[in-house]
Amino acid sequence: VEQQSLTDQTTLNGAENGLTYVTFMDGNQGKMYSQLLNFAWRYGDRADEAVVRTVATQLINQTFHEDRLVPETDASVYQSDGIRLLPYADADPILTAKVALLQETPFDEELLAAFFLSRLSTEDKDLQLSPVEVAWAFAGLSALDVPVLAEMKRFAKAQTLSEEGQLAIAIGHLFAGDAEGARPIYETFLKQARHDLGYIWLEQKTDEDTTELTADLAILAAGLNESKDRDALMDYLNVHARGQTLVLLEQLISTKESLNFLKSGASEVSYILSGVTKKTQLKGGNSHTVAVSSDDLKKLNPRAEKGDVAVVTSYEKPLTTLPNLYKKISVSRRFLGPNGLPQTTFKEGDVVRVEIKY
């Protein structure tokens, strides 16, 4: 299986014998449609679940010109000054910061900013923020357009921050409009991350920490328009164990930031099959697949007529011809003769033992 962006220089590889399946996919904003639908259909009474439902539905209506009923989020249930995860719980500074990163929410932004500024300046030890909470407070204030970049830089320079704190500072730079200030931190973490089987993640001692840091890195990847990295990070979050944590807010923030760099409207692809030029419109994340022979593949001549199109080719190929095998997954077989030793020739009546190892 091979995926690439469709350009005038794109070359498609396929099966020498048998069929190759060529799939064209919407590479515009529509590629985020199914993700937004999943967020819009999210159920639950936690603050993150409620706000994700509302904001995702609003994004669908704004981006794809739909008229869906926007679920109401009763701000008074979750907001006193900061945001609390459940009614009657205490305000959570980190949760409040991540809600602020969504920017267009049902909550009072002036109250959110006042919450952070109050907590940053309080002398009440019970209300003082930890270093990582301070880092997130600066990120939240940046998203609320409060000018704290210089103060955030001084804080980061004076502190030895945890990995989460460093990522929060980078996100603060991003939302303060200082993308290049965020990039060195992002690149440092990307080098530390594990890259395997098309996934990227920041491996930690627990599933919860792994999930949360990977989600924070996905926000940075999206905001810095590192789309391949962002997709690999999000794919990891979608399929791997999360422990006892949820990262709905981070995933929606990443999706929302990605929309800023994608083209609007439907995309369109053309190709030649059996001498006939065909055109297909792709919208809302739709895809179109054709099965072609090796000769047809050479003449397919696919073109992105409108917008951005991704193309995936899938075909069967003997494992022994592949240059790079994934060594953690393998299957081997051998035949043992009557004497218990491996052999490849047998005579009629022999009892043959087949061993398969995987």
Side-chain angles (χ1 to χ4, degrees):
V1 178
E2 301 173 3
Q3 178 173 339
Q4 54 189 314
S5 297
L6 184 59
T7 68
D8 292 340
Q9 288 75 43
T10 297
T11 300
L12 302 182
N13 297 317
E16 296 179 4
N17 299 302
L19 296 176
T20 297
Y21 295 88
V22 182
T23 300
F24 302 105
M25 300 186 299
D26 181 8
N28 288 355
Q29 289 179 330
K31 67 186 288 188
M32 299 298 175
Y33 187 75
S34 62
Q35 293 180 31
L36 289 172
L37 275 181
N38 287 334
F39 294 132
W41 292 338
R42 183 77 193 191
Y43 62 90
D45 295 324
R46 292 168 38 142
D48 54 350
E49 294 166 330
V51 73
V52 159
R53 276 196 304 272
T54 298
V55 173
T57 306
Q58 290 172 339
L59 283 172
I60 291 172
N61 289 344
Q62 294 165 8
T63 306
F64 303 105
H65 310 294
E66 296 189 10
D67 190 25
R68 294 173 177 267
L69 180 65
V70 178
E72 291 187 7
T73 299
D74 188 347
S76 64
V77 172
Y78 302 106
Q79 183 176 22
S80 50
D81 42 8
I83 307 299
R84 48 196 172 219
L85 186 62
L86 294 167
Y88 311 114
D90 294 329
D92 183 326
I94 294 178
L95 172 65
T96 304
K98 291 178 179 179
V99 167
L101 295 179
L102 281 172
Q103 296 177 310
E104 297 176 8
T105 71
F107 302 112
D108 186 321
E109 293 189 351
E110 290 186 4
L111 275 179
L112 295 180
F115 169 77
F116 291 128
L117 294 171
S118 172
R119 288 294 186 93
L120 287 171
S121 61
T122 185
E123 295 183 2
D124 186 336
K125 291 185 179 180
D126 292 332
L127 297 177
Q128 287 179 349
L129 302 178
S130 67
V132 71
E133 289 173 336
V134 171
W136 278 114
F138 282 127
L141 286 167
S142 297
L144 295 169
D145 294 327
V146 179
V148 292
L149 182 59
E151 188 178 352
M152 180 173 64
K153 287 181 178 180
R154 289 194 296 271
F155 166 77
K157 189 174 182 179
Q159 293 285 330
T160 301
L161 290 170
S162 65
E163 290 181 321
E164 182 183 1
Q166 294 173 54
L167 287 168
I169 290 294
I171 291 169
H173 277 273
L174 183 66
F175 279 83
D178 181 23
E180 293 315 304
R183 187 171 294 279
I185 303 174
Y186 168 76
E187 291 176 349
T188 296
F189 277 96
L190 192 66
K191 289 177 183 177
Q192 296 172 3
R194 290 194 60 181
H195 302 242
D196 203 1
L197 292 178
Y199 302 117
I200 300 176
W201 70 98
L202 286 169
E203 186 156 350
Q204 304 293 304
K205 292 181 179 179
T206 67
D207 289 338
E208 289 83 359
D209 288 344
T210 296
T211 297
E212 290 170 7
L213 293 189
T214 299
D216 294 340
L217 193 62
I219 294 174
L220 285 172
L224 294 170
N225 196 24
E226 298 292 345
S227 58
K228 289 184 178 179
D229 295 342
R230 182 265 178 196
D231 290 346
L233 290 158
M234 288 288 282
D235 286 345
Y236 176 86
L237 295 172
N238 288 333
V239 302
H240 286 81
R242 301 177 185 177
Q244 300 299 312
T245 192
L246 288 176
V247 286
L248 291 174
L249 286 171
E250 294 90 328
Q251 289 175 294
L252 181 55
I253 295 163
S254 178
T255 301
K256 184 173 182 286
E257 290 301 304
S258 294
L259 287 171
N260 295 327
F261 299 99
L262 297 171
K263 294 178 181 177
S264 61
S267 56
E268 187 175 279
V269 64
S270 68
Y271 58 92
I272 299 173
L273 190 60
S274 301
V276 179
T277 299
K278 301 186 178 184
K279 290 186 178 181
T280 299
Q281 188 179 76
L282 306 167
K283 61 180 180 179
N286 288 343
S287 63
H288 176 72
T289 300
V290 292
V292 295
S293 67
S294 59
D295 288 339
D296 285 336
L297 182 64
K298 294 174 184 176
K299 304 172 186 176
L300 198 63
N301 194 31
R303 291 286 182 268
E305 300 290 343
K306 183 180 178 183
D308 292 329
V309 177
V311 59
V312 177
T313 53
S314 58
Y315 53 95
E316 293 184 355
K317 192 173 184 180
L319 284 174
T320 53
T321 65
L322 296 178
N324 296 310
L325 297 178
Y326 185 60
K327 295 180 181 179
K328 294 181 181 179
I329 301 176
S330 65
V331 180
S332 63
R333 179 186 64 183
R334 67 174 184 168
F335 302 100
L336 306 179
N339 58 2
L341 298 175
Q343 63 184 70
T344 56
T345 59
F346 305 92
K347 63 180 184 295
E348 187 176 349
D350 280 350
V351 176
V352 180
R353 179 179 176 181
V354 181
E355 282 189 356
I356 298 177
K357 294 183 178 181
Y358 57 90

